[in-house]
Amino acid sequence: SAKASGSNQWAFFKQQMTERAAVRLRTEASLHDALKNDEFLLHFQPKLDLATGALVGCEALIRWQKDGRLISPMSFIPVAEETGIIVPIGRWVIEQSCKVLKHWQKQYNFAVPIAVNVASQQFSDASLVPDIKQLALRHQISPELLEIEITETSLMNDIELAIMKLDQLKSAGFGIAVDDFGTGYSSLSYLRHLPITTMKIDRCFVSDLPEDSAIASTILMLGKQLDLKIVAEGIENEQQLEWLRNHQCGIGQGFYFSQPLPLEEFEQKYIASNNASICEIGG
Ligand code: C2E
Ligand code: MG
Ligand code: MG
Ligand code: MG
């Protein structure tokens, strides 16, 4: 009967919900263990000045080394956000980046900013601003060497609070980038009130280049008007690079230059060598 089949569906639905909840609980538990057992690591992807090829920064991207495999952040950051464990994980990312900055300074007398991703839940946590300030202070890191990357969506959750936090970070000297720009729901009228330093053009607009350039052009124009640095994400080929260069995009990042690399490899390639800051970028 209809009633029986309805209740079967309900039972099936309930079972699925229970399984999902169980998976989430297991993942949360293993994320706790991962923190405790030091199973996270950072990879680094260079950001290059598109006009000169100079290294101007890098992005720290988290990986989870689990049972000999590297797990992508896409598969655990969302759960970490849902469960709140993103806060200590994000704190680990920031502290680890401070340590790496200190190491480059001591070992190579070299300074280049590291950008860290801050998740929405982490940005709304009251501890974020004091944590960043305290970590930079404790590790004696100049705030200019740390940049936070936040998505538009995180900013738009509570715009007044976001502006207040960003003001505090910016006036302390930290860099602030809007990540994946163009994919969220930024209100253009708020954008000019946001104390940000950088906009990152999302890679979906870069991958449309050079044929479909309307959005990339618009973001570049907007960035210029607002006096922001613009970083193009996800540059994968010469044609995209040429277009971006010809349209005065300042900075680029992508597999065309380099995948995100383990620390030692990044150091060998970009920091340890004499001409560390100048890289061949094609053309
Ligand atoms: P995102 O911040 O937008 O980072 C860029 C992602 O694009 C990275 O993926 C990077 O490996 C990838 N990528 C870079 N260049 C290219 C390219 O030329 N082509 C293609 N197809 N991809 C490219 P990844 O490392 O898997 O990170 C994915 C996302 O996970 C990040 O996107 C960020 O939202 C999040 N994430 C990574 N690390 C952290 C972290 O430490 N904390 C938080 N909260 N989120 C993180
Ligand atoms: Mg990012
Ligand atoms: Mg991005
Ligand atoms: Mg992204």
Side-chain angles (χ1 to χ4, degrees):
S1 73
K3 200 176 168 194
S5 102
S7 98
N8 277 342
Q9 279 175 14
W10 173 243
F12 178 68
F13 177 70
K14 235 171 59 177
Q15 182 197 337
Q16 279 206 319
M17 291 300 284
T18 312
E19 274 168 20
R20 273 183 54 186
V23 167
R24 197 179 309 146
L25 269 176
R26 271 203 306 278
T27 313
E28 184 185 5
S30 53
L31 285 169
H32 271 287
D33 288 345
L35 259 180
K36 208 172 58 196
N37 302 333
D38 219 11
E39 291 170 3
F40 293 114
L41 64 146
L42 296 179
H43 280 186
F44 296 86
Q45 190 178 34
K47 295 184 183 179
L48 304 180
D49 180 316
L50 294 185
T52 65
L55 180 77
V56 293
C58 62
E59 178 172 6
L61 295 153
I62 197 170
R63 272 91 184 96
W64 179 7
Q65 180 121 49
K66 190 172 186 282
D67 311 320
R69 290 183 310 132
L70 274 193
I71 301 183
S72 147
M74 314 262 252
S75 63
F76 65 88
I77 293 289
V79 185
E81 282 207 78
E82 278 180 52
T83 59
I85 198 183
I86 190 65
V87 173
I89 292 178
R91 199 171 185 284
W92 178 88
V93 171
I94 296 166
E95 177 148 45
Q96 192 60 25
S97 300
C98 288
K99 289 178 182 171
V100 168
L101 285 166
K102 200 79 218 168
H103 168 67
W104 289 345
Q105 205 173 312
K106 279 195 180 149
Q107 189 77 17
Y108 306 105
N109 189 27
F110 188 88
V112 74
I114 297 182
V116 297
N117 292 283
V118 169
S120 204
Q121 283 308 311
Q122 185 188 356
F123 186 68
S124 25
D125 193 86
S127 69
L128 179 80
V129 175
D131 270 1
I132 294 183
K133 286 186 176 177
Q134 186 218 32
L135 286 169
L137 198 65
R138 181 186 320 148
H139 293 277
Q140 297 172 287
I141 296 307
S142 163
E144 287 74 24
L145 291 179
L146 268 184
E147 180 173 46
I148 68 162
E149 294 193 0
I150 346 172
T151 62
E152 295 168 79
T153 320
S154 318
L155 298 175
M156 297 304 144
N157 280 344
D158 182 344
I159 187 78
E160 302 301 328
L161 189 62
I163 291 177
M164 209 181 74
K165 288 187 182 188
L166 295 185
D167 267 328
Q168 292 168 355
L169 290 171
K170 197 182 177 190
S171 61
F174 298 98
I176 299 156
V178 179
D179 205 352
D180 305 344
F181 189 80
T183 61
Y185 297 94
S186 290
S187 140
L188 289 183
S189 61
Y190 274 121
L191 198 58
R192 68 200 158 99
H193 298 302
L194 288 175
I196 57 178
T197 53
T198 306
M199 278 196 314
K200 298 187 78 175
I201 307 177
D202 190 74
R203 97 167 166 256
C204 69
F205 306 121
V206 172
S207 72
D208 287 343
L209 299 174
E211 293 79 16
D212 195 348
S213 60
I215 307 284
S217 299
T218 306
I219 297 176
L220 281 163
M221 217 149 56
L222 190 62
K224 199 170 179 185
Q225 290 291 319
L226 297 174
D227 201 22
L228 299 172
K229 282 189 282 188
I230 304 284
V231 179
E233 300 192 279
I235 302 174
E236 291 185 347
N237 61 50
E238 180 71 39
Q239 290 72 33
Q240 294 163 354
L241 172 61
E242 266 328 297
W243 189 95
L244 288 160
R245 256 193 195 144
N246 293 336
H247 292 79
Q248 281 75 50
C249 177
I251 302 168
Q253 198 181 339
F255 294 169
Y256 185 65
F257 308 128
S258 172
Q259 300 262 339
L261 300 172
L263 178 63
E264 297 71 24
E265 235 175 287
F266 183 83
E267 284 178 5
Q268 283 309 308
K269 204 164 164 205
Y270 292 98
I271 296 192
S273 55
N274 287 328
N275 57 349
S277 59
I278 306 295
C279 311
E280 270 306 320
I281 58 170

